[in-house]
Amino acid sequence: MKKALFIGLMLCGIVMAKAQNFDQYFENKTLRINYIHAGDVRSEKIVLKEYHAGGIWSGTRAYLNEPNRYGDILFEAFDSISGQTIFTRSYDCLFNEYRTTAQALNESKEFEECINMPFPKNTIKYSFTCFNRKGEGTVLCSGIYNPQSTKTEPFQKEFKVMDLHKGGNPENCLDILFIPDGYSKDDRGKLDTDLKNFTDYIKNCSPYKENLDRVNIHAIKCFSQESGITDPNNHIFRKTTIGSSYNTLQTDRYLMCENVWTMYEVADDCPFDVIVIICNSPKYGGGGIFNFYATVCNGAPQADFVVVHEMGHLIGGLADEYYTSETSVTDYFPEGIEPKEPNVTTLVDFDSKWASMVSPGTPIPTPATKEYNERVGVFEGAGYVAEGVYRPWQNCSMKEVIYDNFCPVCKKVLTEIFDYYSNR
């Protein structure tokens, strides 16, 4: 396998540069590559499965090379003649979380994954590079796609699309897509209410509310065979559209969807940049994976918090800032390595994080006292561990169950994402 080493968080030569002409390389259509990501703690592989194409390309057209590599996987597409990089996207995956669990020490597991990119006019080469927590990358898979000859399945339109908030054209906005799961036809009224409520939760939370002209919110209106969500620990099993389930990675409240290809087939009916699955369940739970998808429960009292917290992971690559939980991970932040997540630091390279936002005279590390409440600092305890990893704020929404309470650092990260999708 070819080895690569990633240094820093910015991709070389593409720091928010509008380097490519979209119309030179791409059609206004989407190409999706489905693949299997499999392995255990010792090894991994990517196995290509199939190609799908259709719809429009709703992502940014100016920043085709993503400026930040917050994800553990880097997908790169190259013009086959010139070799020029014409598209990149980084994202996280459930497989890499699985590798940090005790189960992965003795058991190999397969996960469905996929990547969307603008549809190429000519033949491209592409590669998938997977990074470990030390930032060391391995090119696991590469391929060639010829739009004239490679077997490609067309998108299938099946469901009604609802526009819940219109900020602008898809190519100039962050397009958020709600997919409901576990709503039967008898739950029509509840679904309509929930879609409105979750739209309002996002619209009324800062920094979304200051950037509503750069956000679109859509929903797929689809109904499941049965009402409710699978909850194995309580012996509840439901037949739903995309099979969301609690107890993912043997963590009871971790509510995720492993039927990723089906989820994307449902999403094909609508322009989107990110997917949020709204699950019909009263039990607290959810999850968020950077540039992949997020899940939220509809019935918990803290549903407003859950959706914006999980979207912090989804669109901003933000880390959890709490450090006492049932989350089961090992060696998530290796000693001597600066985390890629923008809201946590090990102080190995703090200058690359929020150092410029800390007021002169603030001690580093910063004591969690009243004196430093509502002040940007460097507070110990974050990313599931109590020592050696630091967060910028005492009680941000990435740490505490408090709605609309993102700290200045997290707000800055999210606002930069709006800049990216709006081509600013």
Side-chain angles (χ1 to χ4, degrees), residues 9-72:
L9 288 175
M10 307 303 288
L11 296 173
C12 294
I14 60 166
V15 183
M16 295 301 279
K18 300 182 181 181
Q20 282 84 38
N21 181 337
F22 181 91
D23 295 328
Q24 179 180 354
Y25 294 104
F26 302 109
E27 296 181 23
N28 185 21
K29 190 164 70 169
T30 298
L31 172 67
R32 185 172 73 250
I33 304 173
N34 287 359
Y35 64 93
I36 290 289
H37 197 169
D40 54 24
V41 72
R42 289 170 291 273
S43 64
E44 63 179 317
K45 63 181 179 179
I46 283 178
V47 180
L48 297 174
K49 285 299 181 179
E50 56 191 6
Y51 301 92
H52 294 254
I56 65 170
W57 175 248
S58 59
T60 178
R61 299 189 183 193
Y63 305 122
L64 297 173
N65 286 333
E66 193 177 60
N68 301 310
R69 194 195 64 79
Y70 293 145
D72 289 332

Side-chain angles (χ1 to χ4, degrees), residues 240-279:
T240 66
T241 304
I242 56 177
S244 302
S245 175
Y246 290 93
N247 203 43
T248 301
L249 303 186
Q250 299 181 354
T251 300
D252 183 61
R253 65 175 178 79
Y254 201 15
L255 171 61
M256 300 300 283
C257 170
E258 295 190 28
N259 300 309
V260 169
W261 298 343
T262 300
M263 176 180 69
Y264 270 72
E265 287 170 5
V266 172
D268 285 342
D269 290 308
C270 180
F272 70 93
D273 295 306
V274 294
I275 295 171
V276 178
I277 305 168
I278 300 178
C279 296

Side-chain angles (χ1 to χ4, degrees), residues 1 28 33-35 77 82 103-104 109 153 157 181 184 207 220 300 354 359 361 375 381-382 399 405:
M1 296 180 182
N28 185 21
I33 304 173
N34 287 359
Y35 64 93
S82 67
Q103 182 183 357
K109 188 172 179 179
E153 299 295 330
K157 297 295 183 182
D181 201 27
S184 71
I220 297 292
W354 62 90
S359 299
R375 288 178 60 178
K399 178 180 182 291
N405 196 50

